Amino acid sequence: YKECGEVVEGEGGPSRPVQFVAHHPRVFACLREGLNLSEPDYRGAFSVDFEGEGFTALRPATSKSGRLFYVTPDEKFILKSLSRHEADFLLDILFHYFEHVLIYPHTLLPRYCGLYVVSEKGREVILSVEANAFSSLCPIHERYDLKGSVVGRVTREEDKAKDSGVILKDLDLTRQLSLGTAHRAVLLSQLAVDCTFLENLEVVDYSMLLGVHRPFDEQLAATPGGESAEGSVV
């Protein structure tokens, strides 16, 4: 799907022509439907009022790819810039991915919602849209990017000091998180299925995002002089 249009620089400002390409819009629409995302809600997440908040640029300390990351104003979606090679690979596996998501609706793989190309004056930007794994009604107090490795898997102290919400790494997780027997079994089963899927596609570089909510932190804040008890929700 290809569309041409104009971008306006601020209300009443000059406009410039751009070309917009949406890859496999029907496939991604079905994937969004599987996430119970209505088209008005999806489009609305990208509608930015000139007097409202715009997209927020993210600079993950764990990312060495040089890609750009943005979060929508409602924090429900993440936009990532992709190289042509990365975009071609996503297109190559798209129908396998689509089938996997249909069979395993609770997959832990990224939930892709769209793939777009924006071109202007010969310059091209490729963007993927994913559901934000950390979008939650509960505040996320800790965020981890886990690879199952210990080599270089610790966040620098200066990165922690700059941003309290920085995404942490394997060696920063210094305690066990209790999931309960039933939830643990479901998680391990889905991890095995998803890892087999990635192995069949010969994908070897991947990690698991983990978000931790500490409900006792909120109770402590609401109770003067209170002491926090051990407890967290993954």
Side-chain angles (χ1 to χ4, degrees):
Y1 173 77
K2 182 181 294 186
E3 181 176 306
C4 296
E6 293 184 339
V7 172
V8 180
E9 297 181 355
E11 190 171 7
S15 63
R16 59 184 191 271
V18 298
Q19 185 180 74
F20 177 85
V21 176
H23 287 284
H24 295 291
R26 293 184 179 179
V27 174
F28 284 110
C30 290
L31 290 171
R32 294 193 296 270
E33 185 178 356
L35 290 173
N36 296 317
L37 291 173
S38 69
E39 288 304 303
D41 287 343
Y42 181 67
R43 293 176 182 271
F46 298 89
S47 300
V48 180
D49 192 326
F50 288 114
E51 298 180 356
E53 297 182 355
F55 296 92
T56 302
L58 303 177
R59 296 175 177 83
T62 57
S63 176
K64 299 179 181 179
S65 64
R67 292 185 298 177
L68 301 177
F69 293 74
Y70 295 92
V71 61
T72 54
D74 61 3
E75 299 186 350
K76 290 183 178 180
F77 302 98
I78 299 291
L79 286 78
K80 295 181 182 179
S81 65
L82 301 182
S83 67
R84 170 57 65 182
H85 174 74
E86 291 170 326
D88 288 342
F89 179 75
L90 177 55
L91 291 172
D92 287 342
I93 70 168
L94 182 59
F95 291 101
H96 298 292
Y97 169 83
F98 179 78
E99 183 180 37
H100 184 82
V101 172
L102 287 182
I103 298 173
Y104 304 100
H106 300 295
T107 177
L108 300 173
L109 295 177
R111 306 309 292 257
Y112 290 106
C113 298
L115 180 63
Y116 308 100
V117 181
V118 181
S119 304
E120 177 198 11
K121 295 181 180 179
R123 297 170 54 192
E124 179 182 88
V125 177
I126 306 174
L127 296 170
S128 69
V129 179
E130 300 176 17
N132 184 2
F134 293 133
S135 178
S136 171
L137 295 177
C138 299
I140 304 299
H141 298 107
E142 301 170 42
R143 298 169 172 82
Y144 294 89
D145 176 65
L146 305 175
K147 287 184 175 290
S149 172
V150 297
V151 180
R153 300 301 298 166
V154 63
T155 305
R156 298 183 304 175
E157 291 300 324
E158 51 264 42
D159 291 328
K160 296 179 183 178
K162 290 178 183 177
D163 182 6
S164 60
V166 67
I167 297 181
L168 305 172
K169 302 179 183 179
D170 298 66
L171 293 180
D172 299 307
L173 184 59
T174 57
R175 69 188 191 282
Q176 291 186 339
L177 299 175
S178 178
L179 301 177
T181 303
H183 287 99
R184 180 179 184 274
V186 171
L187 175 64
L188 292 178
S189 176
Q190 188 61 59
L191 280 174
V193 170
D194 289 342
C195 288
T196 298
F197 173 77
L198 294 173
E199 182 181 353
N200 291 336
L201 294 175
E202 298 183 351
V203 175
V204 296
D205 185 11
Y206 53 87
S207 58
M208 183 175 70
L209 293 178
L210 171 70
V212 179
H213 167 65
R214 298 192 299 266
F216 291 105
D217 281 16
E218 298 178 348
Q219 295 177 17
L220 179 63
T223 307
E227 294 185 359
S228 178
E230 288 296 324
S232 59
V233 178
V234 179

